[in-house]
Structure formats: C-alpha cells, structure tokens
Amino acid sequence: MIKTIFFDVDGTLVSHKTDSVPKSTREALELLRKNGIKLVLATGRDMSQLKKLPVKDIKFDGYLTMNGQLCLDENGNELFGNPINEQDTEKLVKLIKEKTVPITTIGKEGPYINFVTDQVVAAQKAVSSKVAPVGKYHGENVYQFIAYGNRDDLKKLVDDLPNCKLSWWNEYAVDIISKDGGKLAGVEKYLKLQGQTLADAMAFGDGENDLEMLKVVQTGVAMGNGEEQVKQIADYVTSDINEDGIYNACKHYKLI
C-alpha cells in the first residue's frame, strides 16, 4: 500500500513549456492528500529556489532539497542534513577562487556563483531559473555545488574529490553532492522517520538524478517527457507532463 509519494520538480511537477504546474497535477495532489497519502518533494533545488517556482503555493509534507542533502518538514524545519566533506569543500573553494570553472555554492541561506558564462545562462534558462547572484564563500556548510561546462571536463572534477559524486540535470550543468547523498538516501532517511519503508513509497521523475530513487521504491513512475534511461528502469511510464502525466498515473494505480 502506497503511503508516501516523492515528486521531482522540474519536468515532473513544473512544466517549463508553460512555466506552471498543470491543472490536472494540482487536482491529483489534492485528491492524494484527501486519501491520506503523504506528498514529498525530492529535488535538486534548494528552498530559496522552490519559493520562486510555481510549486510555492502547494502544501507538501516534506522537502528533500539539494538531491536529499538537506531535508525539511512541512514547516521548513530541518529533519536532517548531509553537508559536503570539509576537505572536498576546501578543494572546490580553491577552484572557485581560481575562476576556471563557473560554480554555484549552496548552503542553508541559498545559492551564489563565482562567475557567469553562456553555458550557465543556458542551463538555468532550461529550468526557468535565474542565475544565482555572484558571491564569495564565507566558511558556511555547503550542501551542494553546481558546476557548469562540458560534461567530459566536469567529470574530471570529482577525480580529486573522494567524498563526492555527480548528479547530472543538464547538458552543461551537474550537481556535486556527498558520495553517500542523493535523492535515494534522502528518501530512505525520510521514510525511516515516518516508520515506513521503500515498500510504502512511490516516486515520479524524469531525469538522470531520479534514477536511483525510481529503481528502489515500490513503484517508480517515469514521465512521458522523461529521458529514455529513466523510462527503461521505471515500473510505469505515464504520459507527458503537459498531457496529465501525474493524474493519469495516479488513476492507473487507483490512488485517486
């Protein structure tokens, strides 16, 4: 029996073609809540970004932000956090200061970037988001870095970061998070706090950073507009986000 559903945001709840949450998705979320199912966001975004997106007026029971690195309850209180290893943070901060690679740094207070390139602008535009303001590191805990550039070049970044891994979300952009982090790690910790297991969970996603999560929950649903690799591992492929994808999948599984 499904008790909790985890939702990716970009391309899953929020359509960047219409810059909105489809009406049928909002209806599905309301019906799921009425049926006693917990609704949780599982996103690469931080809270400062979520507050600027069309999901800001929707009530959720939890927020697994920054790919599960910082998880909050329905009121925004911290449930658990997983900041990046101090040594790896120091290495990335050195790279940030050298300004050879555009890197966004994200702590509890939100994101800032060291410098901006056309690739940064293109990546952020693809998810209907503004580029983070330019800023400097001040010693805070970092939960996620975002590096921008060519994929092959960026892969080399983690060669010297033994405690980190990459989570891709755009051709030119990748999240750098703790090796033991990720959406799946956040999902497992959240469920444990609720006295639930993966057998009680369902998840929706469309991108590479949703793969682990969709593979292991009881029911993993890929959006029709999702990447092919996501569709291949999903238990069910629903219709496009703009063709009532969330609503149709919930009807298919008789959750609404």
Side-chain angles (χ1 to χ4, degrees):
M1 178 180 172
I2 300 300
K3 299 177 182 178
T4 301
I5 302 180
F6 298 90
F7 296 93
D8 170 55
V9 173
D10 298 290
T12 300
L13 289 180
V14 176
S15 167
H16 294 296
K17 288 184 179 179
T18 63
D19 195 24
S20 66
V21 177
K23 183 179 178 181
S24 64
T25 297
R26 288 179 175 274
E27 183 180 350
L29 295 177
E30 290 178 7
L31 292 172
L32 289 169
R33 182 175 295 284
K34 287 180 180 178
N35 289 337
I37 296 174
K38 286 187 175 292
L39 311 177
V40 181
L41 290 187
T43 176
R45 303 273 196 169
D46 68 277
M47 284 303 293
S48 69
Q49 294 172 318
L50 291 174
K51 290 176 181 177
K52 298 175 183 177
L53 291 175
V55 294
K56 62 185 178 182
D57 63 322
I58 301 174
K59 178 178 174 57
F60 291 95
D61 297 290
Y63 300 84
L64 310 186
T65 69
M66 294 181 268
N67 291 301
Q69 291 292 95
L70 182 62
C71 302
L72 313 171
D73 66 13
E74 68 271 25
N75 298 312
N77 300 311
E78 182 176 340
L79 292 174
F80 53 86
N82 185 25
I84 290 176
N85 172 275
E86 185 177 341
Q87 287 73 32
D88 285 2
T89 296
E90 289 177 358
K91 291 176 181 177
L92 279 163
V93 169
K94 182 176 182 296
L95 195 62
I96 287 168
K97 291 179 179 178
E98 292 172 354
K99 293 189 176 181
T100 55
V101 179
I103 299 177
T104 293
T105 302
I106 312 178
K108 286 186 178 179
E109 302 305 314
Y112 55 88
I113 194 169
N114 56 342
F115 71 103
V116 180
T117 65
D118 290 343
Q119 289 176 325
V120 174
V121 175
Q124 294 302 132
K125 183 178 180 180
V127 290
S128 304
S129 292
K130 294 181 179 179
V131 175
V134 173
K136 294 182 179 181
Y137 178 67
H138 296 292
E140 70 274 17
N141 280 336
V142 179
Y143 293 89
Q144 180 173 287
F145 290 98
I146 305 174
Y148 303 85
N150 297 318
R151 184 171 286 222
D152 289 341
D153 294 335
L154 294 179
K155 283 180 180 178
K156 297 175 184 176
L157 277 180
V158 293
D159 289 345
D160 194 37
L161 302 173
N163 303 293
C164 289
K165 64 180 179 181
L166 302 181
S167 182
W168 296 93
W169 55 270
N170 182 271
E171 179 185 0
Y172 302 124
V174 64
D175 295 331
I176 301 174
I177 60 175
S178 298
K179 183 170 284 186
D180 59 353
K183 291 187 180 184
L184 173 57
V187 165
E188 291 176 324
K189 290 178 183 178
Y190 181 86
L191 290 170
K192 186 175 182 179
L193 289 175
Q194 302 302 317
Q196 298 177 19
T197 69
L198 291 167
D200 300 308
M202 182 178 192
F204 286 84
D206 73 301
E208 187 172 336
N209 63 354
D210 299 314
L211 284 170
E212 288 185 336
M213 174 176 71
L214 296 185
K215 281 181 182 177
V216 300
V217 292
Q218 177 66 32
T219 306
V221 180
M223 302 301 293
N225 51 282
E227 297 177 14
E228 190 57 37
Q229 60 181 328
V230 180
K231 295 177 182 179
Q232 288 177 359
I233 61 91
D235 297 299
Y236 181 72
V237 179
T238 188
S239 49
D240 188 285
I241 182 174
N242 295 305
E243 296 173 358
D244 307 327
I246 299 285
Y247 186 93
N248 289 339
C250 291
K251 288 289 285 186
H252 173 80
Y253 283 103
K254 299 180 171 57
L255 296 175
I256 58 176

